[in-house]
Amino acid sequence: MQPGISTHVFLQQRLHAGLLDAMHQGGAQAIEIFAVRHHFDYADRSIVRDIAAWFRSNDVAATLHQPLYADAEWSRHVAPTLNLIDPEKSRRIDAMDEVKRAIESAEQVPFHAITLHLGLKDEPWNTRALENSLTAIEHLKAFAQPLGVKILLENLQNDVTTPEHLLEILRVGHFDNVGITLDVGHAHLSDGGIDTAFELLKPRIAELHLHDNQGTKDDHLWPGSGKIDWKNVAKHIATLPPTTRGILEIAHDLEETAESVTRKAAESWRIFRENGALVD
């Protein structure tokens, strides 16, 4: 596994080189940039240029998480508002346009992949959700591919993105080059659990989102701070290709500092190293 971390932990701050340095010092060989305009303004070419310069100067892989919020509406208390499979066509188009604006930053930042959300929390699975998912993936894949960006689909807390339904979307759409970001925290909260998620999605997993919870809500805690059996998770990770990115995706409301993120990330990687999922 390639150790990485998401800038989600610093979501309330403007992203800058100092924060990227802190994540790198904590052992990150890959960094997922969370595309929210107040944090990483992907529409501002000067900001994108500064972030791109950092990646050119450091041996760190870059990956992207799609925008989830309409810029003017974001706060720590607001739920995601952008929905790629919204029942209303105009809202789907608006969401896809915003995701495309984020993907355009790959003209400067060497993003390998973008993780997409299909639907919001508790989104139902039905024929319309399937059709809208196929359309969104097809359009965004066509836009991202020339920029060298691979589309990844994440398992969420909804019926659209259960492992079984993700595989059906990929099969029906003939999306042979679309991968999976397996979110371990979300899998822990699902009916199928972590073992089933790994077993079903293993051939498609390109990235992991690693965070802990108490088993009742999506806490996004540091590994070892909740009830997930990380020894069991490490056993599954050890069967994946060593190039699979393992991204620590930690809550932004824990008020972490650059120094605490460096320290806690290093402690998290020790857990995986001790259980054979990470080799120096």
Side-chain angles (χ1 to χ4, degrees), residues 99-143:
V99 173
K100 287 177 182 178
R101 278 189 279 272
I103 294 173
E104 280 183 325
S105 64
E107 293 176 349
Q108 297 186 64
V109 184
F111 289 121
H112 293 280
I114 181 170
T115 293
L116 300 183
H117 282 197
L118 296 179
L120 304 179
K121 191 175 186 295
D122 300 322
E123 193 90 35
W125 172 251
N126 49 41
T127 301
R128 182 178 62 192
L130 172 60
E131 292 175 350
N132 291 343
S133 295
L134 297 174
T135 300
I137 295 167
E138 189 62 50
H139 284 169
L140 293 175
K141 183 167 73 73
F143 189 84

mmCIF file of all heavy atoms in Angstrom, residues 99-143:
data_model
loop_
_atom_site.group_PDB
_atom_site.id
_atom_site.type_symbol
_atom_site.label_atom_id
_atom_site.label_comp_id
_atom_site.label_asym_id
_atom_site.label_seq_id
_atom_site.Cartn_x
_atom_site.Cartn_y
_atom_site.Cartn_z
ATOM 1 N N VAL A 99 -17.747 19.641 -11.177
ATOM 2 C CA VAL A 99 -16.722 18.599 -11.120
ATOM 3 C C VAL A 99 -15.732 18.774 -12.276
ATOM 4 O O VAL A 99 -14.513 18.624 -12.105
ATOM 5 C CB VAL A 99 -17.360 17.202 -11.136
ATOM 6 C CG1 VAL A 99 -16.288 16.113 -11.254
ATOM 7 C CG2 VAL A 99 -18.188 16.984 -9.871
ATOM 8 N N LYS A 100 -16.233 19.132 -13.456
ATOM 9 C CA LYS A 100 -15.339 19.361 -14.595
ATOM 10 C C LYS A 100 -14.391 20.521 -14.325
ATOM 11 O O LYS A 100 -13.210 20.475 -14.706
ATOM 12 C CB LYS A 100 -16.162 19.638 -15.857
ATOM 13 C CG LYS A 100 -16.865 18.410 -16.425
ATOM 14 C CD LYS A 100 -17.707 18.789 -17.634
ATOM 15 C CE LYS A 100 -18.455 17.593 -18.190
ATOM 16 N NZ LYS A 100 -19.322 17.966 -19.336
ATOM 17 N N ARG A 101 -14.887 21.564 -13.667
ATOM 18 C CA ARG A 101 -14.011 22.691 -13.338
ATOM 19 C C ARG A 101 -12.871 22.229 -12.428
ATOM 20 O O ARG A 101 -11.723 22.687 -12.561
ATOM 21 C CB ARG A 101 -14.810 23.815 -12.673
ATOM 22 C CG ARG A 101 -15.536 24.716 -13.670
ATOM 23 C CD ARG A 101 -16.134 25.931 -12.989
ATOM 24 N NE ARG A 101 -17.397 25.620 -12.356
ATOM 25 C CZ ARG A 101 -18.591 25.675 -12.972
ATOM 26 N NH1 ARG A 101 -18.659 26.042 -14.235
ATOM 27 N NH2 ARG A 101 -19.698 25.371 -12.324
ATOM 28 N N ALA A 102 -13.196 21.330 -11.501
ATOM 29 C CA ALA A 102 -12.145 20.797 -10.624
ATOM 30 C C ALA A 102 -11.158 19.935 -11.411
ATOM 31 O O ALA A 102 -9.940 20.031 -11.222
ATOM 32 C CB ALA A 102 -12.774 19.988 -9.496
ATOM 33 N N ILE A 103 -11.670 19.103 -12.302
ATOM 34 C CA ILE A 103 -10.801 18.231 -13.093
ATOM 35 C C ILE A 103 -9.858 19.045 -13.974
ATOM 36 O O ILE A 103 -8.716 18.645 -14.224
ATOM 37 C CB ILE A 103 -11.642 17.261 -13.951
ATOM 38 C CG1 ILE A 103 -12.408 16.279 -13.048
ATOM 39 C CG2 ILE A 103 -10.771 16.486 -14.928
ATOM 40 C CD1 ILE A 103 -13.397 15.398 -13.792
ATOM 41 N N GLU A 104 -10.310 20.212 -14.436
ATOM 42 C CA GLU A 104 -9.458 21.067 -15.275
ATOM 43 C C GLU A 104 -8.151 21.442 -14.593
ATOM 44 O O GLU A 104 -7.144 21.721 -15.268
ATOM 45 C CB GLU A 104 -10.216 22.338 -15.675
ATOM 46 C CG GLU A 104 -11.177 22.152 -16.824
ATOM 47 C CD GLU A 104 -11.841 23.457 -17.223
ATOM 48 O OE1 GLU A 104 -12.111 24.280 -16.335
ATOM 49 O OE2 GLU A 104 -12.092 23.635 -18.427
ATOM 50 N N SER A 105 -8.135 21.424 -13.267
ATOM 51 C CA SER A 105 -6.897 21.751 -12.555
ATOM 52 C C SER A 105 -5.802 20.732 -12.843
ATOM 53 O O SER A 105 -4.613 21.001 -12.595
ATOM 54 C CB SER A 105 -7.143 21.858 -11.047
ATOM 55 O OG SER A 105 -7.556 20.606 -10.504
ATOM 56 N N ALA A 106 -6.174 19.570 -13.397
ATOM 57 C CA ALA A 106 -5.185 18.550 -13.767
ATOM 58 C C ALA A 106 -4.330 18.995 -14.946
ATOM 59 O O ALA A 106 -3.327 18.341 -15.262
ATOM 60 C CB ALA A 106 -5.880 17.228 -14.097
ATOM 61 N N GLU A 107 -4.694 20.101 -15.605
ATOM 62 C CA GLU A 107 -3.819 20.664 -16.627
ATOM 63 C C GLU A 107 -2.496 21.116 -16.015
ATOM 64 O O GLU A 107 -1.474 21.179 -16.704
ATOM 65 C CB GLU A 107 -4.506 21.843 -17.314
ATOM 66 C CG GLU A 107 -5.719 21.440 -18.155
ATOM 67 C CD GLU A 107 -6.433 22.638 -18.743
ATOM 68 O OE1 GLU A 107 -6.109 23.787 -18.327
ATOM 69 O OE2 GLU A 107 -7.298 22.453 -19.610
ATOM 70 N N GLN A 108 -2.513 21.426 -14.704
ATOM 71 C CA GLN A 108 -1.296 21.854 -14.015
ATOM 72 C C GLN A 108 -0.878 20.884 -12.909
ATOM 73 O O GLN A 108 0.297 20.531 -12.811
ATOM 74 C CB GLN A 108 -1.498 23.252 -13.422
ATOM 75 C CG GLN A 108 -1.756 24.335 -14.458
ATOM 76 C CD GLN A 108 -1.796 25.713 -13.833
ATOM 77 O OE1 GLN A 108 -0.798 26.195 -13.291
ATOM 78 N NE2 GLN A 108 -2.959 26.357 -13.894
ATOM 79 N N VAL A 109 -1.811 20.457 -12.073
ATOM 80 C CA VAL A 109 -1.493 19.526 -10.991
ATOM 81 C C VAL A 109 -1.557 18.101 -11.551
ATOM 82 O O VAL A 109 -2.546 17.741 -12.188
ATOM 83 C CB VAL A 109 -2.482 19.680 -9.817
ATOM 84 C CG1 VAL A 109 -2.072 18.767 -8.657
ATOM 85 C CG2 VAL A 109 -2.552 21.131 -9.356
ATOM 86 N N PRO A 110 -0.546 17.272 -11.309
ATOM 87 C CA PRO A 110 -0.510 15.927 -11.913
ATOM 88 C C PRO A 110 -1.414 14.925 -11.208
ATOM 89 O O PRO A 110 -0.952 13.915 -10.650
ATOM 90 C CB PRO A 110 0.965 15.544 -11.785
ATOM 91 C CG PRO A 110 1.415 16.238 -10.536
ATOM 92 C CD PRO A 110 0.690 17.566 -10.539
ATOM 93 N N PHE A 111 -2.714 15.164 -11.239
ATOM 94 C CA PHE A 111 -3.658 14.258 -10.584
ATOM 95 C C PHE A 111 -3.728 12.934 -11.337
ATOM 96 O O PHE A 111 -3.902 12.900 -12.555
ATOM 97 C CB PHE A 111 -5.060 14.885 -10.531
ATOM 98 C CG PHE A 111 -5.176 16.027 -9.566
ATOM 99 C CD1 PHE A 111 -5.555 17.292 -10.000
ATOM 100 C CD2 PHE A 111 -4.913 15.848 -8.222
ATOM 101 C CE1 PHE A 111 -5.666 18.352 -9.117
ATOM 102 C CE2 PHE A 111 -5.019 16.898 -7.322
ATOM 103 C CZ PHE A 111 -5.390 18.159 -7.770
ATOM 104 N N HIS A 112 -3.619 11.842 -10.587
ATOM 105 C CA HIS A 112 -3.740 10.509 -11.170
ATOM 106 C C HIS A 112 -5.197 10.074 -11.297
ATOM 107 O O HIS A 112 -5.549 9.305 -12.200
ATOM 108 C CB HIS A 112 -2.998 9.477 -10.308
ATOM 109 C CG HIS A 112 -1.524 9.649 -10.298
ATOM 110 N ND1 HIS A 112 -0.710 9.212 -11.312
ATOM 111 C CD2 HIS A 112 -0.695 10.229 -9.382
ATOM 112 C CE1 HIS A 112 0.555 9.498 -11.034
ATOM 113 N NE2 HIS A 112 0.585 10.132 -9.864
ATOM 114 N N ALA A 113 -6.041 10.536 -10.362
ATOM 115 C CA ALA A 113 -7.418 10.039 -10.302
ATOM 116 C C ALA A 113 -8.300 11.052 -9.592
ATOM 117 O O ALA A 113 -7.813 11.941 -8.883
ATOM 118 C CB ALA A 113 -7.463 8.698 -9.569
ATOM 119 N N ILE A 114 -9.606 10.896 -9.787
ATOM 120 C CA ILE A 114 -10.596 11.664 -9.029
ATOM 121 C C ILE A 114 -11.621 10.703 -8.466
ATOM 122 O O ILE A 114 -12.111 9.806 -9.161
ATOM 123 C CB ILE A 114 -11.281 12.751 -9.891
ATOM 124 C CG1 ILE A 114 -12.289 13.546 -9.041
ATOM 125 C CG2 ILE A 114 -11.948 12.162 -11.129
ATOM 126 C CD1 ILE A 114 -12.838 14.791 -9.735
ATOM 127 N N THR A 115 -11.937 10.857 -7.182
ATOM 128 C CA THR A 115 -12.961 10.050 -6.535
ATOM 129 C C THR A 115 -14.310 10.760 -6.646
ATOM 130 O O THR A 115 -14.431 11.933 -6.291
ATOM 131 C CB THR A 115 -12.610 9.822 -5.051
ATOM 132 O OG1 THR A 115 -11.435 9.007 -4.979
ATOM 133 C CG2 THR A 115 -13.745 9.121 -4.323
ATOM 134 N N LEU A 116 -15.304 10.019 -7.144
ATOM 135 C CA LEU A 116 -16.644 10.566 -7.341
ATOM 136 C C LEU A 116 -17.627 9.984 -6.327
ATOM 137 O O LEU A 116 -17.500 8.825 -5.918
ATOM 138 C CB LEU A 116 -17.152 10.236 -8.751
ATOM 139 C CG LEU A 116 -16.360 10.753 -9.947
ATOM 140 C CD1 LEU A 116 -17.090 10.377 -11.232
ATOM 141 C CD2 LEU A 116 -16.159 12.263 -9.870
ATOM 142 N N HIS A 117 -18.622 10.796 -5.973
ATOM 143 C CA HIS A 117 -19.759 10.353 -5.165
ATOM 144 C C HIS A 117 -20.979 10.220 -6.076
ATOM 145 O O HIS A 117 -21.319 11.173 -6.778
ATOM 146 C CB HIS A 117 -20.072 11.373 -4.075
ATOM 147 C CG HIS A 117 -19.159 11.315 -2.900
ATOM 148 N ND1 HIS A 117 -19.465 11.901 -1.691
ATOM 149 C CD2 HIS A 117 -17.941 10.735 -2.733
ATOM 150 C CE1 HIS A 117 -18.473 11.692 -0.838
ATOM 151 N NE2 HIS A 117 -17.547 10.989 -1.453
ATOM 152 N N LEU A 118 -21.617 9.083 -6.042
ATOM 153 C CA LEU A 118 -22.870 8.896 -6.773
ATOM 154 C C LEU A 118 -24.019 8.997 -5.780
ATOM 155 O O LEU A 118 -24.332 8.052 -5.059
ATOM 156 C CB LEU A 118 -22.883 7.534 -7.479
ATOM 157 C CG LEU A 118 -21.829 7.325 -8.563
ATOM 158 C CD1 LEU A 118 -21.940 5.919 -9.148
ATOM 159 C CD2 LEU A 118 -21.953 8.377 -9.668
ATOM 160 N N GLY A 119 -24.609 10.175 -5.716
ATOM 161 C CA GLY A 119 -25.736 10.385 -4.818
ATOM 162 C C GLY A 119 -25.311 10.931 -3.466
ATOM 163 O O GLY A 119 -24.127 10.963 -3.113
ATOM 164 N N LEU A 120 -26.303 11.373 -2.717
ATOM 165 C CA LEU A 120 -26.100 11.881 -1.372
ATOM 166 C C LEU A 120 -26.431 10.790 -0.360
ATOM 167 O O LEU A 120 -26.774 9.665 -0.721
ATOM 168 C CB LEU A 120 -26.973 13.117 -1.149
ATOM 169 C CG LEU A 120 -26.775 14.267 -2.153
ATOM 170 C CD1 LEU A 120 -27.716 15.417 -1.822
ATOM 171 C CD2 LEU A 120 -25.324 14.750 -2.167
ATOM 172 N N LYS A 121 -26.309 11.117 0.910
ATOM 173 C CA LYS A 121 -26.589 10.138 1.960
ATOM 174 C C LYS A 121 -28.028 9.630 1.839
ATOM 175 O O LYS A 121 -28.958 10.398 1.605
ATOM 176 C CB LYS A 121 -26.376 10.773 3.332
ATOM 177 C CG LYS A 121 -26.387 9.780 4.492
ATOM 178 C CD LYS A 121 -26.045 10.483 5.796
ATOM 179 C CE LYS A 121 -25.918 9.494 6.940
ATOM 180 N NZ LYS A 121 -27.177 8.825 7.270
ATOM 181 N N ASP A 122 -28.195 8.311 1.959
ATOM 182 C CA ASP A 122 -29.499 7.633 1.907
ATOM 183 C C ASP A 122 -30.159 7.687 0.534
ATOM 184 O O ASP A 122 -31.369 7.453 0.402
ATOM 185 C CB ASP A 122 -30.467 8.201 2.964
ATOM 186 C CG ASP A 122 -29.928 8.047 4.389
ATOM 187 O OD1 ASP A 122 -29.307 7.007 4.659
ATOM 188 O OD2 ASP A 122 -30.123 8.959 5.206
ATOM 189 N N GLU A 123 -29.391 7.976 -0.524
ATOM 190 C CA GLU A 123 -29.935 7.983 -1.890
ATOM 191 C C GLU A 123 -30.477 6.596 -2.238
ATOM 192 O O GLU A 123 -29.795 5.591 -2.054
ATOM 193 C CB GLU A 123 -28.829 8.358 -2.885
ATOM 194 C CG GLU A 123 -29.309 8.701 -4.268
ATOM 195 C CD GLU A 123 -29.612 10.182 -4.421
ATOM 196 O OE1 GLU A 123 -28.917 11.010 -3.805
ATOM 197 O OE2 GLU A 123 -30.547 10.504 -5.181
ATOM 198 N N PRO A 124 -31.714 6.484 -2.757
ATOM 199 C CA PRO A 124 -32.278 5.159 -3.076
ATOM 200 C C PRO A 124 -31.733 4.602 -4.383
ATOM 201 O O PRO A 124 -31.333 5.347 -5.281
ATOM 202 C CB PRO A 124 -33.778 5.444 -3.181
ATOM 203 C CG PRO A 124 -33.855 6.871 -3.630
ATOM 204 C CD PRO A 124 -32.695 7.570 -2.972
ATOM 205 N N TRP A 125 -31.746 3.296 -4.479
ATOM 206 C CA TRP A 125 -31.332 2.604 -5.698
ATOM 207 C C TRP A 125 -32.567 2.275 -6.527
ATOM 208 O O TRP A 125 -33.508 1.649 -6.057
ATOM 209 C CB TRP A 125 -30.599 1.322 -5.336
ATOM 210 C CG TRP A 125 -30.271 0.420 -6.492
ATOM 211 C CD1 TRP A 125 -30.846 -0.789 -6.766
ATOM 212 C CD2 TRP A 125 -29.295 0.634 -7.515
ATOM 213 N NE1 TRP A 125 -30.287 -1.347 -7.892
ATOM 214 C CE2 TRP A 125 -29.326 -0.490 -8.382
ATOM 215 C CE3 TRP A 125 -28.405 1.661 -7.792
ATOM 216 C CZ2 TRP A 125 -28.496 -0.611 -9.491
ATOM 217 C CZ3 TRP A 125 -27.574 1.542 -8.897
ATOM 218 C CH2 TRP A 125 -27.624 0.428 -9.730
ATOM 219 N N ASN A 126 -32.575 2.726 -7.767
ATOM 220 C CA ASN A 126 -33.671 2.426 -8.675
ATOM 221 C C ASN A 126 -33.152 2.599 -10.107
ATOM 222 O O ASN A 126 -31.975 2.933 -10.324
ATOM 223 C CB ASN A 126 -34.890 3.326 -8.400
ATOM 224 C CG ASN A 126 -34.523 4.801 -8.309
ATOM 225 O OD1 ASN A 126 -33.707 5.288 -9.092
ATOM 226 N ND2 ASN A 126 -35.114 5.510 -7.360
ATOM 227 N N THR A 127 -34.020 2.373 -11.074
ATOM 228 C CA THR A 127 -33.607 2.463 -12.480
ATOM 229 C C THR A 127 -33.102 3.857 -12.827
ATOM 230 O O THR A 127 -32.122 4.016 -13.558
ATOM 231 C CB THR A 127 -34.783 2.098 -13.399
ATOM 232 O OG1 THR A 127 -35.218 0.762 -13.085
ATOM 233 C CG2 THR A 127 -34.366 2.146 -14.859
ATOM 234 N N ARG A 128 -33.771 4.875 -12.294
ATOM 235 C CA ARG A 128 -33.344 6.257 -12.571
ATOM 236 C C ARG A 128 -31.950 6.523 -12.020
ATOM 237 O O ARG A 128 -31.119 7.152 -12.683
ATOM 238 C CB ARG A 128 -34.334 7.240 -11.970
ATOM 239 C CG ARG A 128 -33.998 8.713 -12.248
ATOM 240 C CD ARG A 128 -35.057 9.634 -11.673
ATOM 241 N NE ARG A 128 -35.136 9.487 -10.225
ATOM 242 C CZ ARG A 128 -36.111 9.991 -9.477
ATOM 243 N NH1 ARG A 128 -37.107 10.650 -10.041
ATOM 244 N NH2 ARG A 128 -36.101 9.826 -8.165
ATOM 245 N N ALA A 129 -31.670 6.017 -10.816
ATOM 246 C CA ALA A 129 -30.340 6.213 -10.231
ATOM 247 C C ALA A 129 -29.272 5.528 -11.071
ATOM 248 O O ALA A 129 -28.176 6.071 -11.271
ATOM 249 C CB ALA A 129 -30.317 5.683 -8.802
ATOM 250 N N LEU A 130 -29.580 4.344 -11.571
ATOM 251 C CA LEU A 130 -28.639 3.633 -12.438
ATOM 252 C C LEU A 130 -28.382 4.423 -13.715
ATOM 253 O O LEU A 130 -27.222 4.637 -14.112
ATOM 254 C CB LEU A 130 -29.181 2.242 -12.776
ATOM 255 C CG LEU A 130 -28.397 1.453 -13.822
ATOM 256 C CD1 LEU A 130 -26.960 1.225 -13.389
ATOM 257 C CD2 LEU A 130 -29.099 0.121 -14.119
ATOM 258 N N GLU A 131 -29.431 4.875 -14.369
ATOM 259 C CA GLU A 131 -29.270 5.616 -15.631
ATOM 260 C C GLU A 131 -28.508 6.920 -15.424
ATOM 261 O O GLU A 131 -27.628 7.265 -16.231
ATOM 262 C CB GLU A 131 -30.655 5.892 -16.233
ATOM 263 C CG GLU A 131 -31.376 4.635 -16.714
ATOM 264 C CD GLU A 131 -32.786 4.917 -17.189
ATOM 265 O OE1 GLU A 131 -33.259 6.051 -16.961
ATOM 266 O OE2 GLU A 131 -33.413 4.013 -17.766
ATOM 267 N N ASN A 132 -28.823 7.632 -14.363
ATOM 268 C CA ASN A 132 -28.123 8.886 -14.101
ATOM 269 C C ASN A 132 -26.661 8.649 -13.743
ATOM 270 O O ASN A 132 -25.788 9.462 -14.085
ATOM 271 C CB ASN A 132 -28.824 9.663 -12.990
ATOM 272 C CG ASN A 132 -30.181 10.209 -13.416
ATOM 273 O OD1 ASN A 132 -30.478 10.286 -14.601
ATOM 274 N ND2 ASN A 132 -31.004 10.577 -12.450
ATOM 275 N N SER A 133 -26.383 7.548 -13.063
ATOM 276 C CA SER A 133 -24.997 7.204 -12.732
ATOM 277 C C SER A 133 -24.208 6.915 -14.002
ATOM 278 O O SER A 133 -23.066 7.390 -14.168
ATOM 279 C CB SER A 133 -24.953 5.992 -11.802
ATOM 280 O OG SER A 133 -25.534 6.268 -10.551
ATOM 281 N N LEU A 134 -24.797 6.150 -14.913
ATOM 282 C CA LEU A 134 -24.123 5.827 -16.169
ATOM 283 C C LEU A 134 -23.799 7.091 -16.964
ATOM 284 O O LEU A 134 -22.693 7.247 -17.507
ATOM 285 C CB LEU A 134 -24.997 4.892 -17.004
ATOM 286 C CG LEU A 134 -25.304 3.512 -16.400
ATOM 287 C CD1 LEU A 134 -26.296 2.761 -17.279
ATOM 288 C CD2 LEU A 134 -24.034 2.695 -16.222
ATOM 289 N N THR A 135 -24.767 8.013 -17.022
ATOM 290 C CA THR A 135 -24.567 9.258 -17.764
ATOM 291 C C THR A 135 -23.454 10.100 -17.151
ATOM 292 O O THR A 135 -22.576 10.612 -17.859
ATOM 293 C CB THR A 135 -25.871 10.073 -17.797
ATOM 294 O OG1 THR A 135 -26.891 9.307 -18.442
ATOM 295 C CG2 THR A 135 -25.672 11.375 -18.553
ATOM 296 N N ALA A 136 -23.471 10.245 -15.824
ATOM 297 C CA ALA A 136 -22.462 11.065 -15.149
ATOM 298 C C ALA A 136 -21.068 10.488 -15.349
ATOM 299 O O ALA A 136 -20.117 11.220 -15.665
ATOM 300 C CB ALA A 136 -22.783 11.167 -13.654
ATOM 301 N N ILE A 137 -20.939 9.186 -15.188
ATOM 302 C CA ILE A 137 -19.622 8.559 -15.339
ATOM 303 C C ILE A 137 -19.123 8.705 -16.767
ATOM 304 O O ILE A 137 -17.945 9.033 -16.995
ATOM 305 C CB ILE A 137 -19.694 7.072 -14.941
ATOM 306 C CG1 ILE A 137 -20.030 6.942 -13.457
ATOM 307 C CG2 ILE A 137 -18.375 6.366 -15.246
ATOM 308 C CD1 ILE A 137 -20.431 5.542 -13.040
ATOM 309 N N GLU A 138 -20.002 8.466 -17.733
ATOM 310 C CA GLU A 138 -19.595 8.546 -19.132
ATOM 311 C C GLU A 138 -19.088 9.944 -19.480
ATOM 312 O O GLU A 138 -18.028 10.110 -20.104
ATOM 313 C CB GLU A 138 -20.766 8.170 -20.035
ATOM 314 C CG GLU A 138 -20.388 8.016 -21.503
ATOM 315 C CD GLU A 138 -19.378 6.910 -21.733
ATOM 316 O OE1 GLU A 138 -19.602 5.792 -21.242
ATOM 317 O OE2 GLU A 138 -18.356 7.179 -22.399
ATOM 318 N N HIS A 139 -19.828 10.970 -19.068
ATOM 319 C CA HIS A 139 -19.433 12.344 -19.377
ATOM 320 C C HIS A 139 -18.137 12.738 -18.684
ATOM 321 O O HIS A 139 -17.236 13.336 -19.299
ATOM 322 C CB HIS A 139 -20.547 13.314 -18.976
ATOM 323 C CG HIS A 139 -21.699 13.318 -19.935
ATOM 324 N ND1 HIS A 139 -22.888 13.943 -19.660
ATOM 325 C CD2 HIS A 139 -21.852 12.782 -21.160
ATOM 326 C CE1 HIS A 139 -23.722 13.784 -20.678
ATOM 327 N NE2 HIS A 139 -23.105 13.071 -21.592
ATOM 328 N N LEU A 140 -18.019 12.401 -17.401
ATOM 329 C CA LEU A 140 -16.833 12.813 -16.656
ATOM 330 C C LEU A 140 -15.611 12.003 -17.064
ATOM 331 O O LEU A 140 -14.486 12.529 -17.084
ATOM 332 C CB LEU A 140 -17.102 12.686 -15.156
ATOM 333 C CG LEU A 140 -18.161 13.662 -14.625
ATOM 334 C CD1 LEU A 140 -18.471 13.394 -13.167
ATOM 335 C CD2 LEU A 140 -17.711 15.117 -14.810
ATOM 336 N N LYS A 141 -15.812 10.755 -17.411
ATOM 337 C CA LYS A 141 -14.694 9.929 -17.897
ATOM 338 C C LYS A 141 -14.140 10.497 -19.201
ATOM 339 O O LYS A 141 -12.923 10.586 -19.394
ATOM 340 C CB LYS A 141 -15.147 8.482 -18.085
ATOM 341 C CG LYS A 141 -14.040 7.523 -18.511
ATOM 342 C CD LYS A 141 -14.490 6.092 -18.370
ATOM 343 C CE LYS A 141 -15.502 5.722 -19.450
ATOM 344 N NZ LYS A 141 -14.862 5.561 -20.779
ATOM 345 N N ALA A 142 -15.039 10.894 -20.099
ATOM 346 C CA ALA A 142 -14.615 11.465 -21.379
ATOM 347 C C ALA A 142 -13.859 12.776 -21.172
ATOM 348 O O ALA A 142 -12.929 13.091 -21.916
ATOM 349 C CB ALA A 142 -15.822 11.693 -22.276
ATOM 350 N N PHE A 143 -14.250 13.529 -20.154
ATOM 351 C CA PHE A 143 -13.588 14.804 -19.872
ATOM 352 C C PHE A 143 -12.241 14.580 -19.189
ATOM 353 O O PHE A 143 -11.259 15.285 -19.480
ATOM 354 C CB PHE A 143 -14.489 15.651 -18.973
ATOM 355 C CG PHE A 143 -14.015 17.058 -18.780
ATOM 356 C CD1 PHE A 143 -14.319 18.041 -19.710
ATOM 357 C CD2 PHE A 143 -13.271 17.410 -17.674
ATOM 358 C CE1 PHE A 143 -13.881 19.354 -19.536
ATOM 359 C CE2 PHE A 143 -12.822 18.719 -17.484
ATOM 360 C CZ PHE A 143 -13.130 19.685 -18.431
#
